[in-house]
Amino acid sequence: TQLLEQSPQFLSIQEGENLTVYCNSSSVFSSLQWYRQEPGEGPVLLVTVVTGGEVKKLKRLTFQFGDARKDSSLHITAAQPGDTGLYLCAPYPWGGYNKLIFGAGTRLAVHP
Amino acid sequence: NAGVMQNPRHLVRRRGQEARLRCSPMKGHSHVYWYRQLPEEGLKFMVYLQKENIIDESGMPKERFSAEFPKEGPSILRIQQVVRGDSAAYFCASSLPGRDRFSYEQYFGPGTRLTVT
């Protein structure tokens, strides 16, 4: 069983602050997707990273895939209340594209 | 472009009844995945289907649960003789046929919230 850890579990910050959330495993991944989920809705795809060491930017969000393809991070600059939600990392195991593995997520609350 | 559609959004069933959950993938997507999210838990993979084929059902409970994705029409997740423990949010996702690692990006529907009373 692959273990996927996301940290921190909860994060409560003020508007304008920066933050980083982490996704770690001892397993190697083919690719990894980040999603944001709001209450009562399905996960919304933010980005896919596929190459070790890759960095992708989406406005104020910066995603990094670890060199060894075992971990990833999401950095948000100048957080806004609209960033509030559950952030989920979901990798494909190495060599397989049958199913995504989900961590428990990081629940972010950004207060005005 | 319509996203992944699921219906119903909310479903209430009494113990012992059957629940049928429907999923229409995004246009052009021929791969469908079902996940279950129990209260306060993460999403767990259930089954992966392509048109008329079950590719991976390693996450499906052995009894009472079945899934299909016919040549025409939506994918159906069927739960027979529901029990209280089946109460959860059920999400469907779809992806393109795989050509490269981006093809397997999964796009999720809004989910069906099943409540068993």
Side-chain angles (χ1 to χ4, degrees):
Chain A
T1 302
Q2 290 164 322
L3 192 61
L4 190 68
E5 291 188 0
Q6 286 194 247
S7 61
Q9 275 190 288
F10 302 96
L11 195 52
S12 181
I13 62 172
Q14 294 297 124
E15 183 175 1
E17 290 185 33
N18 301 333
L19 66 117
T20 303
V21 299
Y22 300 92
C23 174
N24 294 291
S25 175
S26 57
S27 301
V28 178
F29 303 126
S30 294
S31 64
L32 185 145
Q33 296 167 90
W34 281 94
Y35 292 87
R36 180 170 67 215
Q37 185 180 22
E38 298 190 31
E41 298 297 328
V44 174
L45 180 64
L46 298 175
V47 79
T48 297
V49 287
V50 300
T51 306
E54 181 178 3
V55 176
K56 276 193 173 176
K57 291 194 174 184
L58 186 67
K59 296 184 181 176
R60 294 176 295 101
L61 278 61
T62 302
F63 303 85
Q64 186 161 10
F65 199 16
D67 290 340
R69 314 168 68 88
K70 295 181 180 181
D71 55 270
S72 183
S73 64
L74 158 59
H75 181 80
I76 302 179
T77 304
Q80 299 177 359
D83 296 327
T84 294
L86 178 66
Y87 287 82
L88 299 163
C89 73
Y92 275 116
W94 182 254
Y97 292 99
N98 284 4
K99 58 191 150 193
L100 291 172
I101 304 163
F102 280 89
T106 292
R107 193 166 295 280
L108 171 66
V110 182
H111 304 283
Chain B
N1 280 330
V4 178
M5 311 276 283
Q6 289 189 251
N7 66 81
R9 292 292 306 270
H10 300 274
L11 183 62
V12 179
R13 285 287 177 264
R14 289 201 176 103
R15 276 180 300 171
Q17 289 185 320
E18 178 180 286
R20 278 182 175 245
L21 288 61
R22 293 174 191 78
C23 168
S24 295
M26 286 179 69
K27 188 175 180 180
H29 286 194
S30 58
H31 296 201
V32 164
Y33 312 78
W34 285 92
Y35 294 82
R36 177 164 64 176
Q37 188 172 39
L38 293 166
E40 304 305 320
E41 290 189 20
L43 285 98
K44 296 285 194 295
F45 168 80
M46 298 182 75
V47 63
Y48 163 36
L49 309 104
Q50 296 176 19
K51 286 281 187 183
E52 299 184 282
N53 283 309
I54 296 175
I55 307 302
D56 182 347
E57 56 182 347
S58 58
M60 287 277 269
K62 292 288 186 281
E63 297 176 350
R64 303 188 297 107
F65 285 72
S66 62
E68 62 176 10
F69 188 17
K71 190 176 179 181
E72 302 290 338
S75 175
I76 306 285
L77 180 67
R78 182 180 177 210
I79 311 172
Q80 295 178 289
Q81 298 175 317
V82 295
V83 301
R84 287 220 172 105
D86 296 332
S87 294
Y90 291 83
F91 291 98
C92 166
S94 72
S95 72
L96 290 166
R99 283 185 294 277
D100 56 44
R101 281 179 281 186
F102 288 102
S103 302
Y104 291 99
E105 288 180 334
Q106 293 189 23
Y107 294 84
F108 282 78
T112 293
R113 273 129 194 99
L114 172 66
T115 302
V116 179
T117 61

